[in-house]
Amino acid sequence: MSGDASKLSILVYFEYHHRRLHPVGLQLMTAAKELIRNNGGEILGIIIGEGADQAEEQMNQLPLSEVYLYESEEYFKSDLYKTLMLDCIQQSSPGIVLIGGTKEGRSLAPRLSAALKTGLTADCTELYVRDGGELVQIRPAFGGNLMAQIITPDTRPQMATLRYNQFPPLKPSVSEAGRRKPVSFIKRKLSTQPSSLLEIIDTARFTASESIGKQDVLVAAGRGVRSKEDLDMIIELAELIGGELASTRRLVEQGWISFHRQIGLSGHSVRPKLLLTIGVSGSVQFMAGIRGAETIIAINSDEDAPIFSAADHAYCGDLYEIVPALISTLKKQNT
Amino acid sequence: MIKTAVCIKQVPAYSDGLMDPNTGLLIRKGLEMVLNPNDLSALETALRIRENYGGKVDVFSMGPKHAEEVIRQAYAMGADEGFLLTGKEFAGADVLATSYTLSQGISAVDDYDLIICGKGTTDGDTSQVSGALAEWLGIPHVNWVSGIKKLSQKTIQLCQEMEGELYTVKASYPLLIAVEREIYTPRMTNLKMKIAAKRKPVKTFRLQDLKDQKEIHYGLKGSATRVEKIFPAKENRSDTEPIRDTAGAIEELALLLKPYAAGRKAKQRVDE
Amino acid sequence: MESDKIIAMEDQYRDYLSDESGMTGTAGSISFPESEDELRSIFLTMKQGGTPVTIQGGRTGIVGGAVPDGGHIINMSRLNKLHKLEFTDSGAALLEADPGITRLELTEGIQKLKGGHALFWPPDPTEPSASLGGIIASGAQGISTGLYGRTEEHIEAVRIMDSEGNFRTVQRDDTDFGAVYFGSEGRYGIITKVRLRLRKKPDSMWGIAFFFEQKADSYQFADMLKEKFGTGKNSSPKSVDAEIHASIAVCEYIDRVSIDLVEERKPYMTKIRSIPDIDSEAAAMIYTEIHGSDEEAVSEIAEELLEISVSCGSDPDKAWAVSGETEIDKMRSFRHAVPESINLLMEKRRKRVPGLLKQGSDMSFPQMGFKELLNLYEKDLQDQQEMQESGLQWTIFGHIRENHLHINFLPETQEQYDLGNELITSWAERCRKVSGAVIYEHGMGKIRKPLFVNTADRPVLEEMRQRKQKYDPAGLLNKGNSIDD
């Protein structure tokens, strides 16, 4: 048990497969650390999976007080993982449970919340905590035009999934860890080993469909790009930020880019979380396809370009100066 | 013979563009309501199963009286029976209360082999009702189903699209699945069936028709979350003045894109 | 004063040298006026230097009407606001709009106006990025004129800037409106504002698609529809509330080649991606819409159509029926994807053979049966030895009620292109003889001008000459769109 009842305790679910932590765990840590910054509290972790105890070393570098380890099956099964997670919550009675807004998290969290008969707020982009440990959860609503502020007044724990890649990852730190109380690891084994009604009979590596209509990050090139060869740097930038290349109708007409990648009235309507447009002026044809984009960053040399009226971040300048410099800056940041 | 229940919802035709750009107020009047596009794929999945293995396809919805329209649309695609959970007690429900209400309605009708949900609704956009519904029904569930590999009277084999990995999952009935939009292209509503649907009855469920009639388990009262307020997401975009200083632009862009570059690196590591 | 608004033609503006026809012109400068005053001062600056101007809207025209022939381009896309919506004492809903607004912006803008959500502007020339000014200048009609009437009936007035830079308002009932400004491709003045007459949306709308394994069956169905439901035209009501009981609003023919062209593109076009593939046995489809204030009456007509289709050999289990704006929009997008896919295909072919422009006919043969008309076309297309030898491909789609079909050739070589033009010319000749309209709604622009001049009666041409002399003696307005340019 986690001691002082008045102290805020937050349970973070670390996805763990193939003996690796999913990056969303460290993103949840950033959010959790922020929540206890002012009024204090503790962060607990849970790992379910095959070889769970092998995560100890990495966990040791994080500001966690306790980590529950459940040696289990390699692959995610909603019913089994729920049972184990439920055990952990009964053991640790956290005030808040944070789960990643990943496919796994969004499959696990609702099942768990119904089992606990408690509230769940999906896909939060901002969290803060009030005195008394009440969690304020903010998430986009109505296609992202509006934000909803949601609380869970009466039931505990308060559960939230956090949008993937919304929070920066917390950097594990050996030196900081040295100054903290060491993480205590609790290896749980249930008296009757729970089983699943699901059987995973095969798994395969798989790359999500590259259709630009389904991508979270898109980099769209427009007629500001002067030659087909120049697209290479746009592609490099797209790869650097985990995005897919998209294009205006113009470049498709030029024959430089396949029409599979065309955004607009006669192409795809896209709904990425981030759309970076480079040398795109923003014709009616194009603009009709980008309304679902959450954040738009536009680089264009014409200050009157219509794209700027839709952009959240607008940069008027020469793409041939900006893009190469940006690529090298991002590369430096990454090393 | 496979008995299937499909959960469907009536949603506004446009999930965005709902807000008046000048006043920042929601535009509700005259808003067209449609059948949630993701649910069409769920219904198509069920209809194909019935065509190949026999059985029936029933549809369930919760909402105001006019949500009957989406049930009639399901009829025009070929659904057998439709049930609408309606009443003021059900209004204002969050994920917890919605899934509970649906579970009460579904279990009042039949012991279905399969419950099929869409990936999520375009208005609530949480993708959370399916998992909670399965828990209430006490049956296993599989989200992100992108294909059906094999099906027999006793078991089903599914493709489940997880991140970077495709699972083949085998399960016995009863089972709940939430299908991806791309699993099948939904059929168009059929003229003959659309004409017939106008006269086909929709069965209405009210609180008193359910097994659990405690009002506090439904609607706003049965919801564990409360929406405190709704506010505009951001400043009006057209107010953004372009930044002209190239060096400054590069610096700012690098900062904006940093999380994506970092996330992408992490993602790569996982995929290795 | 406005000299900074006039931008020398640079590479980044090269898109503005062409339109959807694929034709490319030249220009020395371009401007994007944001007000009538700016427009006027830009125009007068040009006039002073004797520089001709080309007025551009959405550049969605397919006859080169917006393609500059030297001089200056005035692009109207930034004059795109909606102004006041007024309800008059007689019950009309009048909306003032800038000419640069697109069809899409107009539709969405009306929804957001106070009191606008139940209203619409009926003309739907299907291309969402077409501008209002361009629709008026080309005389575009679209797919629902059969029920709602022609485009000009939904315009109350236009404000015109003449070639002296003076403004005046022309009401629809003024003789100048129809005779001079509507459909005259910017030859006699510049439209700077439009007052539109809106209508109440029908309460119920069904869109129904019938499929036929034999083309001949679809022709029979089309003729039976025309016979049974006539032109069904609902004369333009003065009041916005005037209700239609239930009537056929749209009746479109789409052949198999058109279907195939769309289906090739479909996976990559979001707005139609959710439409399933059409049965490969279908040789033609006929898309109809029924609009009305009474759902029951609408479905009664649907039942009648179903019966007729069965008698014409269409499989009743395969007919699609949708209702509501969103679903109808999707079906209209499918219909619009036909010319769109043709244009995209031709763009690709033009990369190899630059001379291949959009090649579609735009003729209406009112005094004929649908089957009779199709037989006439097919005789030339299928039976002529020259056609068989050349391998020239074509598609047929268009409006059944006006006997107004768009035969689009899909040439791959210059020889094929020339052959297509020959056929279009011969049809135009025949069309003229039966008093049909050779150029119905696309305008003649620069590409179809020779066809028009060759088939028009002399007095018509003479009148056009005199009019140009009267309204634009210096020949500065939309150079190239007048018969003697």
Side-chain angles (χ1 to χ4, degrees):
Chain A
M1 292 294 287
S2 57
D4 186 357
S6 68
K7 203 163 84 174
L8 179 64
S9 97
I10 302 171
L11 177 66
V12 169
Y13 174 69
F14 287 90
E15 280 178 42
Y16 185 78
H17 298 287
H18 307 296
R19 292 178 164 77
R20 275 197 188 85
L21 287 174
H22 188 286
V24 78
L26 295 177
Q27 297 171 11
L28 296 175
M29 282 303 293
T30 299
K33 203 177 162 197
E34 184 61 30
L35 289 176
I36 58 166
R37 193 168 57 117
N38 289 331
N39 295 329
E42 59 170 2
I43 309 174
L44 319 174
I46 170 171
I47 294 180
I48 301 172
E50 199 173 88
D53 54 359
Q54 289 174 38
E56 283 188 18
E57 192 188 334
Q58 230 180 323
M59 292 283 116
N60 263 323
Q61 299 172 21
L62 297 172
L64 290 158
S65 52
E66 291 173 353
V67 173
Y68 290 77
L69 302 170
Y70 290 84
E71 181 64 29
S72 183
E73 294 181 29
E74 174 70 59
Y75 296 105
F76 170 72
K77 292 173 177 172
S78 57
D79 52 352
L80 171 64
Y81 276 48
K82 175 217 72 181
T83 305
L84 297 172
M85 185 93 182
L86 202 56
D87 173 74
C88 176
I89 289 168
Q90 279 154 0
Q91 290 297 312
S92 60
S93 310
I96 295 171
V97 177
L98 299 183
I99 296 176
T102 56
K103 288 199 157 176
E104 177 166 328
R106 285 153 69 210
S107 188
L108 171 65
R111 176 138 216 155
L112 185 61
S113 77
L116 291 160
K117 299 189 173 50
T118 189
L120 166 65
T121 305
D123 225 17
C124 296
T125 53
E126 206 187 321
L127 296 175
Y128 63 93
V129 70
R130 289 183 181 140
D131 288 345
E134 186 165 65
L135 182 69
V136 180
Q137 305 153 100
I138 295 169
R139 71 177 302 258
F142 301 103
N145 280 335
L146 299 172
M147 304 300 282
Q149 181 172 314
I150 298 166
I151 54 164
T152 308
D154 304 318
T155 55
R156 291 294 178 268
Q158 306 161 85
M159 289 182 60
T161 57
L162 266 57
R163 171 168 294 191
Y164 186 28
N165 282 342
Q166 175 76 20
F167 297 83
L170 187 74
K171 280 221 169 72
S173 161
V174 183
S175 58
E176 260 184 58
R179 292 193 294 274
R180 275 193 304 259
K181 230 172 82 183
V183 179
S184 70
F185 291 95
I186 301 157
K187 287 181 189 160
R188 285 283 301 169
K189 206 174 159 90
L190 272 58
S191 47
T192 43
Q193 190 62 24
S195 63
S196 172
L197 292 167
L198 304 171
E199 188 189 346
I200 291 172
I201 54 178
D202 190 26
T203 64
R205 284 290 302 276
F206 143 87
T207 354
S209 108
E210 64 156 26
S211 163
I212 61 164
K214 290 189 77 178
Q215 298 296 319
D216 282 343
V217 180
L218 285 175
V219 180
R223 65 171 171 226
V225 177
R226 286 188 218 120
S227 74
K228 192 174 176 181
E229 289 65 43
D230 295 346
L231 280 174
D232 290 349
M233 66 176 179
I234 312 282
I235 294 167
E236 187 180 358
L237 178 59
E239 280 175 359
L240 261 174
I241 60 171
E244 201 61 54
L245 178 72
S247 128
T248 61
R249 178 167 161 193
R250 180 76 207 188
L251 298 197
V252 173
E253 275 172 35
Q254 299 274 3
W256 297 351
I257 294 182
S258 148
F259 62 83
H260 306 161
R261 294 181 185 273
Q262 183 190 324
I263 293 177
L265 275 177
S266 53
H268 292 276
S269 300
V270 297
R271 321 188 54 84
K273 299 198 163 70
L274 173 73
L275 172 68
L276 172 61
T277 72
I278 301 176
V280 173
S281 66
S283 63
V284 177
Q285 160 73 243
F286 183 82
M287 302 294 265
I290 62 168
R291 290 183 193 166
E294 226 159 83
T295 301
I296 299 173
I297 304 178
I299 304 171
N300 196 291
S301 59
D302 176 7
E303 61 177 310
D304 289 329
I307 187 78
F308 287 144
S309 67
D312 302 278
H313 305 278
Y315 302 96
C316 180
D318 182 358
L319 74 91
Y320 285 87
E321 277 179 56
I322 295 173
V323 174
L326 185 56
I327 289 173
S328 70
T329 312
L330 286 173
K331 276 185 177 165
K332 259 182 247 153
Q333 275 179 356
N334 263 1
T335 49
Chain B
M1 298 285 280
I2 291 160
K3 291 187 285 188
T4 307
V6 180
C7 300
I8 62 175
K9 187 184 180 192
Q10 191 180 40
V11 299
Y14 304 99
S15 58
D16 37 20
L18 273 170
M19 199 176 48
D20 185 313
N22 302 314
T23 62
L25 293 174
L26 282 180
I27 301 171
R28 291 186 192 276
K29 215 176 162 188
L31 208 63
E32 199 197 348
M33 301 296 283
V34 297
L35 175 49
N36 175 39
N38 291 322
D39 299 343
L40 292 171
S41 300
L43 184 54
E44 180 66 31
T45 306
L47 293 170
R48 288 189 188 208
I49 290 174
R50 189 188 62 188
E51 277 159 14
N52 290 313
Y53 302 94
K56 65 167 182 174
V57 175
D58 292 346
V59 293
F60 288 82
S61 189
M62 182 181 93
K65 191 82 176 108
H66 60 72
E68 265 190 31
E69 287 166 31
V70 296
I71 289 179
R72 293 196 193 280
Q73 188 177 340
Y75 286 160
M77 286 173 74
D80 293 302
E81 275 191 276
F83 301 89
L84 177 67
L85 292 138
T86 191
K88 61 178 192 324
E89 300 88 352
F90 301 147
D94 70 353
V95 170
L96 192 69
T98 303
S99 55
Y100 184 68
T101 312
L102 284 170
S103 74
Q104 282 287 311
I106 290 171
S107 44
V109 177
D110 208 338
D111 291 322
Y112 290 98
D113 301 309
L114 262 180
I115 316 282
I116 309 184
C117 297
K119 175 194 176 148
T121 58
T122 53
D123 60 344
D125 197 22
T126 67
S127 300
Q128 309 266 310
V129 169
S130 55
L133 173 58
E135 178 67 22
W136 289 120
L137 291 170
I139 62 176
H141 85 283
V142 183
N143 288 99
W144 331 116
V145 172
S146 62
I148 293 176
K149 269 195 161 165
K150 262 191 203 159
L151 196 143
S152 72
Q153 300 297 335
K154 292 224 164 65
T155 62
I156 185 168
Q157 276 186 33
L158 308 155
C159 300
Q160 182 185 22
E161 269 187 24
M162 298 299 282
E163 266 165 51
E165 237 170 355
L166 189 67
Y167 292 3
T168 304
V169 184
K170 189 177 166 189
S172 305
Y173 310 122
L175 173 72
L176 182 146
I177 61 175
V179 300
E180 296 282 320
R181 184 139 171 199
E182 290 76 17
I183 183 167
Y184 300 114
T185 302
R187 66 198 58 197
M188 300 294 283
T189 39
N190 171 281
L191 176 57
K192 253 169 83 177
M193 288 196 277
K194 189 176 171 70
I195 292 170
K198 288 174 61 67
R199 290 172 199 100
K200 194 165 166 173
V202 171
K203 173 102 169 91
T204 303
F205 274 137
R206 303 203 168 261
L207 182 62
Q208 60 267 25
D209 302 316
L210 302 179
K211 195 170 164 206
D212 174 5
Q213 296 177 9
K214 284 204 193 77
E215 228 178 281
I216 51 159
H217 291 154
Y218 299 94
L220 199 59
K221 288 178 192 154
S223 296
T225 56
R226 290 274 177 282
V227 177
E228 283 193 317
K229 64 171 180 179
I230 302 264
F231 56 98
K234 53 191 126 191
E235 306 282 296
N236 195 345
R237 280 170 168 178
S238 55
D239 293 345
T240 323
E241 260 296 300
I243 290 166
R244 284 180 186 75
D245 154 41
T246 300
I250 293 162
E251 202 176 309
E252 213 182 283
L253 278 163
L255 212 62
L256 280 169
L257 298 176
K258 192 178 172 179
Y260 295 91
R264 179 244 172 205
K265 222 174 110 189
K267 200 163 119 191
Q268 255 190 345
R269 262 208 308 268
V270 171
D271 287 351
E272 267 160 15
Chain C
M1 178 186 92
E2 301 291 345
S3 56
D4 61 322
K5 298 282 173 189
I6 296 165
I7 312 161
M9 211 56 202
E10 284 168 33
D11 195 47
Q12 60 172 314
Y13 298 109
R14 63 180 177 245
D15 285 1
Y16 298 96
L17 295 176
S18 55
D19 70 4
E20 195 70 19
S21 69
M23 182 183 186
T24 303
T26 59
S29 57
I30 186 168
S31 60
F32 300 86
E34 290 176 35
S35 66
E36 280 185 327
D37 286 346
E38 258 181 45
L39 170 70
R40 180 170 187 271
S41 95
I42 291 165
F43 177 72
L44 291 178
T45 306
M46 289 300 146
K47 187 177 161 80
Q48 230 164 27
T51 309
V53 298
T54 299
I55 312 296
Q56 275 182 352
R59 291 181 297 111
T60 58
I62 49 177
V63 291
V67 175
D69 181 10
H72 177 78
I73 300 168
I74 297 181
N75 183 289
M76 303 288 272
S77 60
R78 288 182 199 165
L79 271 166
N80 64 344
K81 302 279 175 301
L82 282 186
H83 303 279
K84 213 169 63 188
L85 174 63
E86 279 180 303
F87 294 89
T88 68
D89 295 341
S90 59
L94 303 179
L95 172 66
E96 202 164 83
D98 289 342
I101 195 165
T102 63
R103 189 68 192 83
L104 183 69
E105 289 168 333
L106 179 64
T107 307
E108 294 182 344
I110 291 172
Q111 305 309 297
K112 289 182 182 165
L113 290 171
K114 195 169 156 43
H117 69 270
L119 302 176
F120 80 122
W121 191 59
D124 184 10
T126 72
E127 169 55 54
S129 56
S131 73
L132 180 58
I135 289 170
I136 298 171
S138 61
Q141 296 297 338
I143 64 172
S144 57
T145 55
L147 176 59
Y148 295 105
R150 291 177 57 86
T151 300
E152 46 270 49
E153 294 174 43
H154 306 282
I155 298 164
E156 198 59 17
V158 288
R159 195 163 133 93
I160 300 284
M161 188 180 82
D162 66 18
S163 64
E164 297 296 320
N166 299 320
F167 292 94
R168 73 187 184 102
T169 298
V170 183
Q171 305 292 335
R172 180 188 47 218
D173 297 333
D174 294 347
T175 38
D176 268 11
F177 179 80
V180 182
Y181 297 112
F182 187 84
S184 61
E185 303 176 76
R187 290 184 285 268
Y188 315 119
I190 302 172
I191 300 167
T192 63
K193 274 230 164 48
V194 187
R195 192 175 304 139
L196 302 170
R197 184 182 267 272
L198 305 185
R199 277 192 71 143
K200 189 171 160 262
K201 283 182 194 163
D203 296 318
S204 173
M205 281 194 283
W206 282 29
I208 308 172
F210 295 97
F211 301 96
F212 300 86
E213 289 184 16
Q214 303 296 328
K215 276 191 288 183
D217 289 344
S218 70
Y219 305 160
Q220 193 198 344
F221 180 65
D223 276 326
M224 284 177 77
L225 281 193
K226 286 209 286 188
E227 194 188 313
K228 174 108 192 167
F229 298 96
T231 63
K233 189 177 164 250
N234 187 256
S235 62
S236 178
K238 287 287 173 256
S239 162
V240 67
D241 292 324
E243 292 196 336
I244 4 163
H245 186 52
S247 189
I248 294 186
V250 171
C251 206
E252 296 287 301
Y253 173 82
I254 301 171
D255 77 356
R256 183 74 221 186
V257 181
S258 300
I259 293 171
D260 288 341
L261 284 172
V262 172
E263 292 201 332
E264 207 178 300
R265 288 265 164 191
K266 203 176 63 185
Y268 316 106
M269 289 171 110
T270 301
K271 54 193 175 172
I272 57 167
R273 195 170 43 202
S274 60
I275 295 178
D277 283 347
I278 287 168
D279 189 344
S280 59
E281 298 294 310
M285 91 185 238
I286 287 181
Y287 174 65
T288 63
E289 277 175 28
I290 310 165
H291 296 187
S293 47
D294 175 14
E295 170 91 21
E296 204 50 49
V298 168
S299 81
E300 269 168 34
I301 295 186
E303 275 183 69
E304 278 183 74
L305 292 186
L306 181 64
E307 275 170 38
I308 300 174
S309 76
V310 172
S311 77
C312 294
S314 173
D315 183 345
D317 289 320
K318 285 182 180 163
W320 296 349
V322 302
S323 56
E325 268 181 81
T326 306
E327 291 292 298
I328 294 242
D329 263 2
K330 199 157 79 180
M331 290 308 297
R332 286 198 182 185
S333 295
F334 185 91
R335 159 65 180 80
H336 179 61
V338 175
E340 219 172 2
S341 306
I342 293 169
N343 298 351
L344 291 164
L345 175 74
M346 288 313 295
E347 249 161 36
K348 216 159 99 188
R349 297 199 168 160
R350 203 173 300 127
K351 288 260 138 10
R352 272 175 283 139
V353 185
L356 305 179
L357 303 181
K358 159 94 175 180
Q359 198 174 32
S361 75
D362 177 31
M363 295 165 216
S364 163
F365 289 76
Q367 316 294 341
M368 214 183 260
F370 189 77
K371 187 176 194 166
E372 196 185 345
L373 175 63
L374 262 299
N375 287 345
L376 181 149
Y377 279 133
E378 281 175 346
K379 192 159 168 290
D380 287 350
L381 293 165
Q382 292 168 3
D383 303 346
Q384 263 199 23
Q385 196 186 352
E386 215 179 339
M387 272 298 283
Q388 285 169 1
E389 280 167 7
S390 94
L392 173 58
Q393 299 295 308
W394 70 91
T395 78
I396 303 180
F397 64 94
H399 320 295
I400 290 173
R401 287 221 274 213
E402 294 81 15
N403 261 357
H404 173 208
L405 289 169
H406 301 298
I407 319 288
N408 274 246
F409 290 108
L410 309 170
E412 288 180 274
T413 64
Q414 190 64 44
E415 291 72 32
Q416 289 185 341
Y417 182 76
D418 295 340
L419 176 60
N421 268 349
E422 268 174 45
L423 278 170
I424 290 178
T425 308
S426 75
W427 294 329
E429 200 48 53
R430 220 171 318 180
C431 182
R432 191 177 67 104
K433 278 186 193 144
V434 298
S435 312
V438 172
I439 290 176
Y440 189 84
E441 61 166 342
H442 294 162
M444 65 177 190
K446 299 172 183 70
I447 296 173
R448 292 274 165 254
K449 192 165 70 178
L451 184 75
F452 178 78
V453 173
N454 290 335
T455 52
D457 294 329
R458 272 172 192 281
V460 173
L461 296 174
E462 195 44 45
E463 199 181 0
M464 287 175 82
R465 269 187 198 105
Q466 282 171 8
R467 201 174 286 150
K468 183 75 179 173
Q469 197 57 39
K470 176 177 165 195
Y471 291 99
D472 179 29
L476 295 178
L477 290 172
N478 279 18
K479 183 167 170 260
N481 289 1
S482 292
I483 49 177
D484 294 325
D485 289 338

